Structures are given as structure tokens and as C-alpha cells.
């Protein structure tokens, strides 16, 4: 599992910023917001990881409640978002179940 306690910001590739907006209408601000809201679910994205770079999938919500799926990697102390989009139905259902579990705890 990933430890985000040493993260101190975000590093954006200019092409990914534009791609996320054009393709999915997700802004950089919205993408970053999910890392500050709970619940935040992070899993390994081993299917897209390489020997040089480990990728992760994050599922979270923005300040306005938009539920996003974000593919990212970590470079040093920065989160480097690769892709950001609205969660699919199956992802939303799993995320909402996690929200319920945390509310009951």
C-alpha cells in the first residue's frame, strides 16, 4: 500500500492536464481535491505499472461531491496524475459502500 504522509504536492504533465479536461471535463483542481477528502480508496494498478513506475488508482470525491477515478504515480514527494474521470457505475457502487462503512464506524 502507498503512504501519502510524505507527499507535499502535485506534479502535472501539461498534456495530461489538457487531456483530462478535453476528454472527461475534469479540472486539475477537482483531481487534486479527492486526495484531501474521505473516503479515499487507493489500489495498485499493476496492469499499467512498469518496472520503472508503479501506478495507482484512486477513488474519491471532490468538494462538490463529484466522484472521480484518478490514475497516478508518485515521483519523489509529488503525486503525478495521469488520468482523471468520473467513476463508472461499478466503481461508484464500491465507493459508496466504503462511505457507508466509514460512517458506521
Amino acid at each position: 500500500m502507498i503512504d501519502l504522509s510524505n507527499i507535499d504536492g502535485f506534479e502535472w504533465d501539461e498534456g495530461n492536464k489538457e487531456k483530462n479536461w478535453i476528454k472527461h471535463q475534469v479540472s486539475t483542481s477537482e483531481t487534486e481535491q479527492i486526495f484531501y477528502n474521505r473516503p479515499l480508496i487507493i489500489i495498485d494498478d499493476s496492469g499499467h505499472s512498469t518496472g520503472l513506475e508503479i501506478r495507482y488508482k484512486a477513488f474519491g470525491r471532490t468538494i462538490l461531491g463529484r466522484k472521480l477515478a484518478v490514475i497516478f504515480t508518485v515521483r519523489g514527494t509529488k503525486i503525478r496524475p495521469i488520468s482523471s474521470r468520473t467513476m463508472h457505475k461499478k466503481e461508484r457502487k464500491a465507493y459508496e459502500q466504503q462511505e457507508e462503512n466509514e460512517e458506521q464506524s
Side-chain angles (χ1 to χ4, degrees):
M1 191 48 138
I2 185 170
D3 177 11
L4 296 180
S5 63
N6 295 323
I7 299 298
D8 65 6
F10 296 85
E11 177 183 293
W12 281 92
D13 173 271
E14 287 302 315
N16 286 341
K17 282 168 107 170
E18 285 186 42
K19 176 187 74 170
N20 289 323
W21 180 253
I22 292 167
K23 208 170 171 187
H24 305 291
Q25 288 74 54
V26 179
S27 70
T28 57
S29 174
E30 286 180 300
T31 299
E32 293 175 6
Q33 288 171 25
I34 75 158
F35 291 93
Y36 298 104
N37 291 322
R38 297 296 173 262
L40 175 64
I41 301 168
I42 298 176
I43 59 174
D44 290 343
D45 186 9
S46 55
H48 293 100
S49 295
T50 66
L52 301 174
E53 182 174 80
I54 299 171
R55 290 191 178 185
Y56 303 93
K57 292 180 186 177
F59 302 98
R61 63 178 171 74
T62 67
I63 292 168
L64 296 177
R66 185 174 182 190
K67 294 178 177 116
L68 299 180
V70 177
I71 306 300
F72 72 99
T73 190
V74 174
R75 293 202 179 156
T77 60
K78 305 287 186 207
I79 290 174
R80 186 173 173 92
I82 297 163
S83 177
S84 186
R85 59 169 173 73
T86 302
M87 285 183 210
H88 296 309
K89 185 177 181 179
K90 191 174 180 180
E91 295 166 337
R92 236 183 359 264
K93 185 175 179 179
Y95 182 80
E96 289 165 357
Q97 182 63 49
Q98 183 66 35
E99 276 184 313
E100 283 181 31
N101 291 345
E102 286 192 15
E103 287 173 3
Q104 293 173 0
S105 298

